[in-house]
Amino acid sequence: MISSLEILIPKNLNEALSLLVERKNNCRIIAGGTDVVPGLQQGSNRFANSELLIDINRIPEIKSITQTREKISIGGAETFSDMLQNQIVKEELPLLWKACSTIGSVQIRNRATIAGNFVNNAPCADTVPALLVYNATIEVESLSSKKEISIGEFLTGPYKTKLNKDEIVTRINIPIPSKEFRGDFYKLGRRRAVAISRITLAVLTKTQNHMIDEIRIASGAVTPIGIRFSDLEKLAKGKYADDKFLKLLSQKLGEQILNVTGLRWSSEYKLPVVQQMFYQLLKEIEHG
Amino acid sequence: MNKEFSVVGKPVIREDGLDKVTGRAKFADDYKFPGMLHAVMLRISSAHAKINSIDFSAIENDESLVSIITADDVPGTKKVGMIKNDQPIFCNEKVVTPGDVLAMIVGESEAKLHELVKKIKVDFTPLPLLTDPKKSLETDAVLIHPVEGSNLIIHHPLRKGNVEKGFAESEFVLEQTYSTQLIEHSYLEPEAVVAIPLETSLGVKVIGSIQNPFTTRRFVSEVLNFPLSKVRIQQAHLGGSFGGKDDIMCILSARAAVAAMKINRPVKIRYTREESILESYKRHPYVLNYKVGYNKSGKIQAMKIDILADGGAYASMSPFVTWRTVVQATGPYEIENVHTDVRAVYTNNPYTGAMRGFGSPQPIFAQESLMDEIAVQLNMTPDEIRKVNGYKSGSITATGQKLQNHEVNLLTVLETAEEDTGFRKKWLENKKDKSQLIEYDFSSPIINESQFISPDSLIKKGIGLAVSFRGCSLGAEGTDAASAYISIQNDGSVYLDCGLAENGQGLRTTYSIIAAEVFGISTDQIIYLELDTGTTPDSGPTVASRATLMGGGAVKATAEILRKRLEELIRSEWNLKSDDEIVFQNNQVLITNHQSPITFKDICKLAYQRGISLATIGWYKSPSVGWDEHVGQGDAYFTYVYGCQVAEVRVNIATGEIYVDKVTAVHDAGKVINMLGALGQVYGGVTQGAGYGIFEEVTTDKGFIRELNFDQYTIPTSKDIGEINPIFVEGKDIYGPWGAKSLGEPTLELTAAAISNAVYNAVGKRFFKLPMNLEEVLLSKKLRPEDLKRGSK
């Protein structure tokens, strides 16, 4: 049961950032509430002693999607439904678009926001593998500072990020990938909607005559946080993408995941499946 | 003058539909009263413990607290139960499962009470845990209820012919063990109830999300030590039940009533989802051993069945649930020699009771898997083996009952399903694709190069079927009768009420259709009254898919009494000859060879003027059934329904996902009264049955449930189930309104078995343990997290 809470709705970014400074000990930011409200309901430690919720839904600075020649910039409080309806996202960032489409249900996507998906850095955050392979950067603001860091740097550990208590994730900036990249996003849950991810994978590759020019690989849910596999990416560079190599790469992914996580109760299932499905994903991308 | 049905069998929109989609319908938690208090439960973190003392001193003087309610405040029976009185309203001596409630604190602020309840100190001594039902009957097992003398809740034996002789004469003998899981009803609306003290002479009123108002009344009256007439139960709109809002709501109603009468203010109890899943009863997990003897023609000679049901901490409905199992355990097959034992036992697990299907989905999974296995072994198709053994008119069941007085449509539903789906051709085609699931060796977690699945063989298609017969209504469980009340107003509008309760299944609409058909008026002329035990006649519980059959029978009988009065009035008023026919149709009354039609309204007005009563209570009683409990023989139910479902699936052999693409559900439910209601039953039942087959499982760790909310307990969404194709075969029957029988439960009981057989057809691997979740399909086992911590790990 949620005890009574104060909720304030600032109208601009400055107002919100000021509130974070004034009330820094007992306040939490709320956007869609799809993480905060169940967390409060369950009495999660993450929300212990919360007395004030700052609702950032009506801050125009963090509610838009813009495009320049080099990048797409998504406001932190953009909902997944807004992103799914956005043609730029759909055409230029298909992996992110697909990741958004697998999240929750229509009702959840209508409320849940992109920054909300990764600010608590849960391992199963669906957008993270896509943001990782797109080399997204995160814009973070406080009253006194403004910084932009890569998503990989931002996500420091399970349920931990570089976000300070007085800061808000204002924008997610994504360099527009060259048209030569092909890729896909894969999610496995226990059912086909409203499912917590058991495995997520994102792959982006650039090949020339079946030679791997560049490959970017990221996972979620099978690792303690969403990560890029730079060793595999280096290994694959310049390799001929034949069936034998794709199998090898899939086995290597399994080894890397095993190294990072060790054996867990779910490994017996997840490890073979992640290798198989990564292989399927690579084959699919190869065949276009 | 034969006439076609005017409304029966047509699609009629449910009478509460608009109110429900616009939010006007009032559910239990929507009821609020001046001075109303809330109650919050005290539990301890133990599945089996002796309570030494409860120390309330830390909260006693808190201003948020109005009252503490313990077992000492219960004026009447302190232990209640559906069949055995083994469940305390408040557990002051010991707890036997984590859902148990020791006491209740009452106050104005629910939030404050939740803080206070944490401060109560309970001194308890843990007792040895019993969570494995297979150990319940061992001689050194701890007794859950020592006063019962044993952990055996019930044993139903059935003996027919001589199985040993049958096995000796069989060319083949096959033995298999199956298991099914604990599952949650997953009604959308968690439990909520409010008890209101009435004026002194009137007793108490309870409004709640109550499946069975008359059972609830019995519990409350026993607990308060009130006569039945001083307890009024009013049913609020119900946000789902599926058999799940029976004993739990009786007990919550009793707790609220005890508090309301003590404090003399209305008291509400409402549960969160977590509390609901923690305390409410579930579906029985079964372990089923089947031994079957048969010849190469496929003819079954003998079947020996041994079934163990985990009843959990309380007996609840276990004796009746397992009774249906013993009657139906062989499936709809004529077998000369049958030897069945079904036992239910106590454990410290969450208790189990009634749930849609009621002891049938478990044996159907076993027996239909077995039939397919025999078919494959004998090189027959699944439909062939069933045709060899399946019930026909005049067949004798395992209980020695001759099937008569209704169309025994087992083979008709089977053939209909087969033709509609092209079953045999697809089944044989899929069977050719022999590729197997990969056997992983987990000692080397990195898979071999040769084990990678080529993308074009990732997905395997399968088709499977399952058939069943099902006894309608209560059978030999108990008295089976229902009554209805109809009052026609002098403008021709009609009040209707019945003692069976709307559980969301659309019973009010079904009854309105039946009354409208008899009176020849439109359904919008009928106002359905809310069920209140103070004014509605007792009709027993709304269970066992008996509402249309029994309540519908009562509504028809009642309407016919009043129509007869109107007919008599017309005959005398217009001096009709005895062979002049009177037809009620289109809101009019037509008389053969007679003047222009008279409106129904005018006839009712005339009756009023002539002083004829147009209000009455009518009755429908089932024919008698019989049962010899020592040998499990007798006419268990007075009629039966038959069903066949065909599941078409795809299996992803890399992930173990099962995609249910299409389920064709052919049911003989007798005459369909409301086509929309019937379709709804099939869509819902199949979806629920698929969830049972591939997703759902309540798992426990030392008696504690891991999945306390729907983030972890996964029921199917609309995206998980493909097309559902309902087909109705309307078999004739001498019982029920125009031969209408049962549909609600048959729709659910077959789906898991049909899916399992389809998965076998797809991948050539048979599954013996439900649910067939990702791990089961791939690794033939379940994987469990080590602890109860929530969230993805």
Side-chain angles (χ1 to χ4, degrees), chain B residues 458-487:
Chain B
L458 181 69
I459 303 292
K460 303 287 174 199
K461 276 175 144 184
I463 188 167
L465 64 79
V467 298
S468 73
F469 79 124
R470 185 180 182 89
C472 298
S473 200
L474 303 174
E477 278 174 32
T479 319
D480 204 355
S483 66
Y485 164 76
I486 296 177
S487 170

PDB file of all heavy atoms in Angstrom, chain B residues 458-487:
ATOM      1  N   LEU B 458      13.763 -24.092 -37.597  1.00  0.00           N
ATOM      2  CA  LEU B 458      13.550 -23.523 -36.257  1.00  0.00           C
ATOM      3  C   LEU B 458      12.143 -23.765 -35.738  1.00  0.00           C
ATOM      4  O   LEU B 458      11.938 -24.011 -34.560  1.00  0.00           O
ATOM      5  CB  LEU B 458      13.834 -22.013 -36.320  1.00  0.00           C
ATOM      6  CG  LEU B 458      13.706 -21.221 -35.032  1.00  0.00           C
ATOM      7  CD1 LEU B 458      14.810 -21.593 -34.054  1.00  0.00           C
ATOM      8  CD2 LEU B 458      13.772 -19.713 -35.333  1.00  0.00           C
ATOM      9  N   ILE B 459      11.174 -23.675 -36.640  1.00  0.00           N
ATOM     10  CA  ILE B 459       9.773 -23.729 -36.235  1.00  0.00           C
ATOM     11  C   ILE B 459       9.131 -25.035 -36.713  1.00  0.00           C
ATOM     12  O   ILE B 459       9.239 -25.395 -37.878  1.00  0.00           O
ATOM     13  CB  ILE B 459       8.994 -22.535 -36.849  1.00  0.00           C
ATOM     14  CG1 ILE B 459       9.632 -21.198 -36.447  1.00  0.00           C
ATOM     15  CG2 ILE B 459       7.514 -22.586 -36.453  1.00  0.00           C
ATOM     16  CD1 ILE B 459       9.517 -20.822 -34.988  1.00  0.00           C
ATOM     17  N   LYS B 460       8.492 -25.765 -35.792  1.00  0.00           N
ATOM     18  CA  LYS B 460       7.820 -27.021 -36.133  1.00  0.00           C
ATOM     19  C   LYS B 460       6.321 -26.872 -35.916  1.00  0.00           C
ATOM     20  O   LYS B 460       5.889 -26.333 -34.899  1.00  0.00           O
ATOM     21  CB  LYS B 460       8.328 -28.156 -35.234  1.00  0.00           C
ATOM     22  CG  LYS B 460       9.823 -28.370 -35.292  1.00  0.00           C
ATOM     23  CD  LYS B 460      10.232 -29.013 -36.590  1.00  0.00           C
ATOM     24  CE  LYS B 460      11.747 -29.096 -36.696  1.00  0.00           C
ATOM     25  NZ  LYS B 460      12.189 -29.292 -38.070  1.00  0.00           N
ATOM     26  N   LYS B 461       5.574 -27.402 -36.868  1.00  0.00           N
ATOM     27  CA  LYS B 461       4.115 -27.324 -36.747  1.00  0.00           C
ATOM     28  C   LYS B 461       3.533 -28.602 -36.163  1.00  0.00           C
ATOM     29  O   LYS B 461       4.031 -29.691 -36.445  1.00  0.00           O
ATOM     30  CB  LYS B 461       3.508 -27.159 -38.147  1.00  0.00           C
ATOM     31  CG  LYS B 461       3.482 -25.729 -38.631  1.00  0.00           C
ATOM     32  CD  LYS B 461       2.972 -25.725 -40.060  1.00  0.00           C
ATOM     33  CE  LYS B 461       2.125 -24.518 -40.334  1.00  0.00           C
ATOM     34  NZ  LYS B 461       1.551 -24.575 -41.684  1.00  0.00           N
ATOM     35  N   GLY B 462       2.474 -28.443 -35.386  1.00  0.00           N
ATOM     36  CA  GLY B 462       1.824 -29.619 -34.827  1.00  0.00           C
ATOM     37  C   GLY B 462       0.328 -29.424 -34.687  1.00  0.00           C
ATOM     38  O   GLY B 462      -0.169 -28.293 -34.582  1.00  0.00           O
ATOM     39  N   ILE B 463      -0.386 -30.541 -34.708  1.00  0.00           N
ATOM     40  CA  ILE B 463      -1.832 -30.497 -34.486  1.00  0.00           C
ATOM     41  C   ILE B 463      -2.171 -31.620 -33.497  1.00  0.00           C
ATOM     42  O   ILE B 463      -1.576 -32.706 -33.542  1.00  0.00           O
ATOM     43  CB  ILE B 463      -2.613 -30.631 -35.820  1.00  0.00           C
ATOM     44  CG1 ILE B 463      -4.117 -30.381 -35.620  1.00  0.00           C
ATOM     45  CG2 ILE B 463      -2.389 -31.998 -36.476  1.00  0.00           C
ATOM     46  CD1 ILE B 463      -4.882 -30.188 -36.935  1.00  0.00           C
ATOM     47  N   GLY B 464      -3.073 -31.328 -32.577  1.00  0.00           N
ATOM     48  CA  GLY B 464      -3.423 -32.342 -31.580  1.00  0.00           C
ATOM     49  C   GLY B 464      -4.856 -32.170 -31.130  1.00  0.00           C
ATOM     50  O   GLY B 464      -5.428 -31.079 -31.244  1.00  0.00           O
ATOM     51  N   LEU B 465      -5.436 -33.255 -30.658  1.00  0.00           N
ATOM     52  CA  LEU B 465      -6.816 -33.152 -30.197  1.00  0.00           C
ATOM     53  C   LEU B 465      -6.994 -33.793 -28.825  1.00  0.00           C
ATOM     54  O   LEU B 465      -6.168 -34.582 -28.360  1.00  0.00           O
ATOM     55  CB  LEU B 465      -7.792 -33.752 -31.213  1.00  0.00           C
ATOM     56  CG  LEU B 465      -7.759 -35.240 -31.547  1.00  0.00           C
ATOM     57  CD1 LEU B 465      -8.436 -36.099 -30.484  1.00  0.00           C
ATOM     58  CD2 LEU B 465      -8.486 -35.458 -32.883  1.00  0.00           C
ATOM     59  N   ALA B 466      -8.088 -33.420 -28.213  1.00  0.00           N
ATOM     60  CA  ALA B 466      -8.484 -34.042 -26.949  1.00  0.00           C
ATOM     61  C   ALA B 466     -10.005 -34.055 -26.896  1.00  0.00           C
ATOM     62  O   ALA B 466     -10.664 -33.165 -27.445  1.00  0.00           O
ATOM     63  CB  ALA B 466      -7.928 -33.261 -25.766  1.00  0.00           C
ATOM     64  N   VAL B 467     -10.552 -35.116 -26.283  1.00  0.00           N
ATOM     65  CA  VAL B 467     -12.009 -35.212 -26.137  1.00  0.00           C
ATOM     66  C   VAL B 467     -12.354 -35.405 -24.663  1.00  0.00           C
ATOM     67  O   VAL B 467     -11.519 -35.826 -23.867  1.00  0.00           O
ATOM     68  CB  VAL B 467     -12.606 -36.386 -26.958  1.00  0.00           C
ATOM     69  CG1 VAL B 467     -12.364 -36.192 -28.446  1.00  0.00           C
ATOM     70  CG2 VAL B 467     -12.045 -37.721 -26.494  1.00  0.00           C
ATOM     71  N   SER B 468     -13.593 -35.084 -24.320  1.00  0.00           N
ATOM     72  CA  SER B 468     -14.021 -35.340 -22.953  1.00  0.00           C
ATOM     73  C   SER B 468     -15.526 -35.539 -22.881  1.00  0.00           C
ATOM     74  O   SER B 468     -16.258 -35.159 -23.793  1.00  0.00           O
ATOM     75  CB  SER B 468     -13.648 -34.178 -22.026  1.00  0.00           C
ATOM     76  OG  SER B 468     -14.483 -33.062 -22.273  1.00  0.00           O
ATOM     77  N   PHE B 469     -15.936 -36.174 -21.806  1.00  0.00           N
ATOM     78  CA  PHE B 469     -17.347 -36.141 -21.412  1.00  0.00           C
ATOM     79  C   PHE B 469     -17.371 -35.496 -20.044  1.00  0.00           C
ATOM     80  O   PHE B 469     -16.376 -35.528 -19.315  1.00  0.00           O
ATOM     81  CB  PHE B 469     -17.957 -37.551 -21.383  1.00  0.00           C
ATOM     82  CG  PHE B 469     -17.633 -38.363 -20.153  1.00  0.00           C
ATOM     83  CD1 PHE B 469     -18.641 -38.892 -19.360  1.00  0.00           C
ATOM     84  CD2 PHE B 469     -16.316 -38.624 -19.801  1.00  0.00           C
ATOM     85  CE1 PHE B 469     -18.346 -39.656 -18.230  1.00  0.00           C
ATOM     86  CE2 PHE B 469     -16.015 -39.386 -18.668  1.00  0.00           C
ATOM     87  CZ  PHE B 469     -17.023 -39.904 -17.886  1.00  0.00           C
ATOM     88  N   ARG B 470     -18.468 -34.871 -19.730  1.00  0.00           N
ATOM     89  CA  ARG B 470     -18.525 -34.183 -18.446  1.00  0.00           C
ATOM     90  C   ARG B 470     -19.921 -34.269 -17.869  1.00  0.00           C
ATOM     91  O   ARG B 470     -20.911 -33.951 -18.539  1.00  0.00           O
ATOM     92  CB  ARG B 470     -18.144 -32.720 -18.625  1.00  0.00           C
ATOM     93  CG  ARG B 470     -18.061 -31.978 -17.305  1.00  0.00           C
ATOM     94  CD  ARG B 470     -17.689 -30.516 -17.444  1.00  0.00           C
ATOM     95  NE  ARG B 470     -17.611 -29.960 -16.114  1.00  0.00           N
ATOM     96  CZ  ARG B 470     -16.515 -29.941 -15.360  1.00  0.00           C
ATOM     97  NH1 ARG B 470     -15.390 -30.410 -15.838  1.00  0.00           N
ATOM     98  NH2 ARG B 470     -16.541 -29.460 -14.130  1.00  0.00           N
ATOM     99  N   GLY B 471     -20.008 -34.706 -16.626  1.00  0.00           N
ATOM    100  CA  GLY B 471     -21.279 -34.761 -15.929  1.00  0.00           C
ATOM    101  C   GLY B 471     -21.780 -33.352 -15.653  1.00  0.00           C
ATOM    102  O   GLY B 471     -21.026 -32.490 -15.214  1.00  0.00           O
ATOM    103  N   CYS B 472     -23.056 -33.107 -15.922  1.00  0.00           N
ATOM    104  CA  CYS B 472     -23.604 -31.771 -15.735  1.00  0.00           C
ATOM    105  C   CYS B 472     -24.070 -31.588 -14.298  1.00  0.00           C
ATOM    106  O   CYS B 472     -24.623 -32.496 -13.688  1.00  0.00           O
ATOM    107  CB  CYS B 472     -24.787 -31.539 -16.661  1.00  0.00           C
ATOM    108  SG  CYS B 472     -24.324 -31.651 -18.389  1.00  0.00           S
ATOM    109  N   SER B 473     -23.880 -30.398 -13.817  1.00  0.00           N
ATOM    110  CA  SER B 473     -24.349 -29.971 -12.504  1.00  0.00           C
ATOM    111  C   SER B 473     -23.681 -30.756 -11.375  1.00  0.00           C
ATOM    112  O   SER B 473     -22.569 -31.251 -11.540  1.00  0.00           O
ATOM    113  CB  SER B 473     -25.876 -30.041 -12.426  1.00  0.00           C
ATOM    114  OG  SER B 473     -26.351 -29.219 -11.379  1.00  0.00           O
ATOM    115  N   LEU B 474     -24.348 -30.875 -10.228  1.00  0.00           N
ATOM    116  CA  LEU B 474     -23.691 -31.379  -9.020  1.00  0.00           C
ATOM    117  C   LEU B 474     -23.568 -32.889  -8.979  1.00  0.00           C
ATOM    118  O   LEU B 474     -22.705 -33.439  -8.306  1.00  0.00           O
ATOM    119  CB  LEU B 474     -24.461 -30.916  -7.780  1.00  0.00           C
ATOM    120  CG  LEU B 474     -24.638 -29.410  -7.622  1.00  0.00           C
ATOM    121  CD1 LEU B 474     -25.548 -29.107  -6.436  1.00  0.00           C
ATOM    122  CD2 LEU B 474     -23.292 -28.727  -7.438  1.00  0.00           C
ATOM    123  N   GLY B 475     -24.456 -33.586  -9.664  1.00  0.00           N
ATOM    124  CA  GLY B 475     -24.453 -35.035  -9.577  1.00  0.00           C
ATOM    125  C   GLY B 475     -24.692 -35.476  -8.150  1.00  0.00           C
ATOM    126  O   GLY B 475     -25.421 -34.833  -7.388  1.00  0.00           O
ATOM    127  N   ALA B 476     -24.026 -36.565  -7.774  1.00  0.00           N
ATOM    128  CA  ALA B 476     -24.267 -37.124  -6.449  1.00  0.00           C
ATOM    129  C   ALA B 476     -23.586 -36.342  -5.326  1.00  0.00           C
ATOM    130  O   ALA B 476     -23.563 -36.766  -4.179  1.00  0.00           O
ATOM    131  CB  ALA B 476     -23.821 -38.588  -6.431  1.00  0.00           C
ATOM    132  N   GLU B 477     -23.017 -35.147  -5.656  1.00  0.00           N
ATOM    133  CA  GLU B 477     -22.452 -34.296  -4.599  1.00  0.00           C
ATOM    134  C   GLU B 477     -23.513 -33.835  -3.612  1.00  0.00           C
ATOM    135  O   GLU B 477     -23.225 -33.596  -2.447  1.00  0.00           O
ATOM    136  CB  GLU B 477     -21.844 -33.026  -5.201  1.00  0.00           C
ATOM    137  CG  GLU B 477     -20.463 -33.170  -5.742  1.00  0.00           C
ATOM    138  CD  GLU B 477     -20.021 -31.880  -6.443  1.00  0.00           C
ATOM    139  OE1 GLU B 477     -20.432 -30.784  -6.034  1.00  0.00           O
ATOM    140  OE2 GLU B 477     -19.270 -31.991  -7.424  1.00  0.00           O
ATOM    141  N   GLY B 478     -24.732 -33.645  -4.097  1.00  0.00           N
ATOM    142  CA  GLY B 478     -25.738 -33.157  -3.154  1.00  0.00           C
ATOM    143  C   GLY B 478     -27.046 -32.774  -3.827  1.00  0.00           C
ATOM    144  O   GLY B 478     -27.228 -32.993  -5.024  1.00  0.00           O
ATOM    145  N   THR B 479     -27.935 -32.197  -3.033  1.00  0.00           N
ATOM    146  CA  THR B 479     -29.243 -31.781  -3.525  1.00  0.00           C
ATOM    147  C   THR B 479     -29.066 -30.839  -4.703  1.00  0.00           C
ATOM    148  O   THR B 479     -28.229 -29.949  -4.667  1.00  0.00           O
ATOM    149  CB  THR B 479     -29.994 -30.996  -2.421  1.00  0.00           C
ATOM    150  OG1 THR B 479     -29.750 -31.652  -1.196  1.00  0.00           O
ATOM    151  CG2 THR B 479     -31.464 -30.913  -2.712  1.00  0.00           C
ATOM    152  N   ASP B 480     -29.868 -31.046  -5.702  1.00  0.00           N
ATOM    153  CA  ASP B 480     -29.696 -30.257  -6.913  1.00  0.00           C
ATOM    154  C   ASP B 480     -31.036 -29.687  -7.347  1.00  0.00           C
ATOM    155  O   ASP B 480     -31.841 -30.371  -7.992  1.00  0.00           O
ATOM    156  CB  ASP B 480     -29.089 -31.150  -8.001  1.00  0.00           C
ATOM    157  CG  ASP B 480     -28.342 -30.349  -9.050  1.00  0.00           C
ATOM    158  OD1 ASP B 480     -28.377 -29.106  -8.985  1.00  0.00           O
ATOM    159  OD2 ASP B 480     -27.736 -30.977  -9.928  1.00  0.00           O
ATOM    160  N   ALA B 481     -31.300 -28.450  -6.934  1.00  0.00           N
ATOM    161  CA  ALA B 481     -32.553 -27.800  -7.320  1.00  0.00           C
ATOM    162  C   ALA B 481     -32.314 -26.305  -7.380  1.00  0.00           C
ATOM    163  O   ALA B 481     -31.377 -25.797  -6.763  1.00  0.00           O
ATOM    164  CB  ALA B 481     -33.649 -28.126  -6.310  1.00  0.00           C
ATOM    165  N   ALA B 482     -33.138 -25.613  -8.138  1.00  0.00           N
ATOM    166  CA  ALA B 482     -32.995 -24.164  -8.230  1.00  0.00           C
ATOM    167  C   ALA B 482     -34.368 -23.538  -8.381  1.00  0.00           C
ATOM    168  O   ALA B 482     -35.323 -24.196  -8.817  1.00  0.00           O
ATOM    169  CB  ALA B 482     -32.119 -23.797  -9.427  1.00  0.00           C
ATOM    170  N   SER B 483     -34.444 -22.265  -7.989  1.00  0.00           N
ATOM    171  CA  SER B 483     -35.731 -21.599  -8.123  1.00  0.00           C
ATOM    172  C   SER B 483     -35.568 -20.203  -8.694  1.00  0.00           C
ATOM    173  O   SER B 483     -34.494 -19.622  -8.649  1.00  0.00           O
ATOM    174  CB  SER B 483     -36.424 -21.528  -6.768  1.00  0.00           C
ATOM    175  OG  SER B 483     -35.677 -20.691  -5.930  1.00  0.00           O
ATOM    176  N   ALA B 484     -36.670 -19.698  -9.243  1.00  0.00           N
ATOM    177  CA  ALA B 484     -36.648 -18.365  -9.840  1.00  0.00           C
ATOM    178  C   ALA B 484     -37.897 -17.615  -9.404  1.00  0.00           C
ATOM    179  O   ALA B 484     -38.896 -18.224  -9.003  1.00  0.00           O
ATOM    180  CB  ALA B 484     -36.594 -18.471 -11.354  1.00  0.00           C
ATOM    181  N   TYR B 485     -37.815 -16.300  -9.470  1.00  0.00           N
ATOM    182  CA  TYR B 485     -38.940 -15.441  -9.110  1.00  0.00           C
ATOM    183  C   TYR B 485     -39.234 -14.550 -10.303  1.00  0.00           C
ATOM    184  O   TYR B 485     -38.320 -13.945 -10.875  1.00  0.00           O
ATOM    185  CB  TYR B 485     -38.567 -14.605  -7.891  1.00  0.00           C
ATOM    186  CG  TYR B 485     -39.475 -13.425  -7.644  1.00  0.00           C
ATOM    187  CD1 TYR B 485     -40.751 -13.605  -7.093  1.00  0.00           C
ATOM    188  CD2 TYR B 485     -39.064 -12.121  -7.954  1.00  0.00           C
ATOM    189  CE1 TYR B 485     -41.584 -12.521  -6.867  1.00  0.00           C
ATOM    190  CE2 TYR B 485     -39.897 -11.030  -7.726  1.00  0.00           C
ATOM    191  CZ  TYR B 485     -41.149 -11.233  -7.186  1.00  0.00           C
ATOM    192  OH  TYR B 485     -41.982 -10.166  -6.973  1.00  0.00           O
ATOM    193  N   ILE B 486     -40.505 -14.522 -10.690  1.00  0.00           N
ATOM    194  CA  ILE B 486     -40.900 -13.617 -11.771  1.00  0.00           C
ATOM    195  C   ILE B 486     -42.134 -12.847 -11.333  1.00  0.00           C
ATOM    196  O   ILE B 486     -43.073 -13.412 -10.762  1.00  0.00           O
ATOM    197  CB  ILE B 486     -41.189 -14.369 -13.091  1.00  0.00           C
ATOM    198  CG1 ILE B 486     -39.914 -15.045 -13.619  1.00  0.00           C
ATOM    199  CG2 ILE B 486     -41.752 -13.410 -14.159  1.00  0.00           C
ATOM    200  CD1 ILE B 486     -40.123 -15.861 -14.877  1.00  0.00           C
ATOM    201  N   SER B 487     -42.104 -11.574 -11.592  1.00  0.00           N
ATOM    202  CA  SER B 487     -43.272 -10.736 -11.316  1.00  0.00           C
ATOM    203  C   SER B 487     -43.551  -9.882 -12.554  1.00  0.00           C
ATOM    204  O   SER B 487     -42.719  -9.062 -12.947  1.00  0.00           O
ATOM    205  CB  SER B 487     -42.981  -9.851 -10.095  1.00  0.00           C
ATOM    206  OG  SER B 487     -43.993  -8.887  -9.961  1.00  0.00           O
TER     207      SER B 487
END
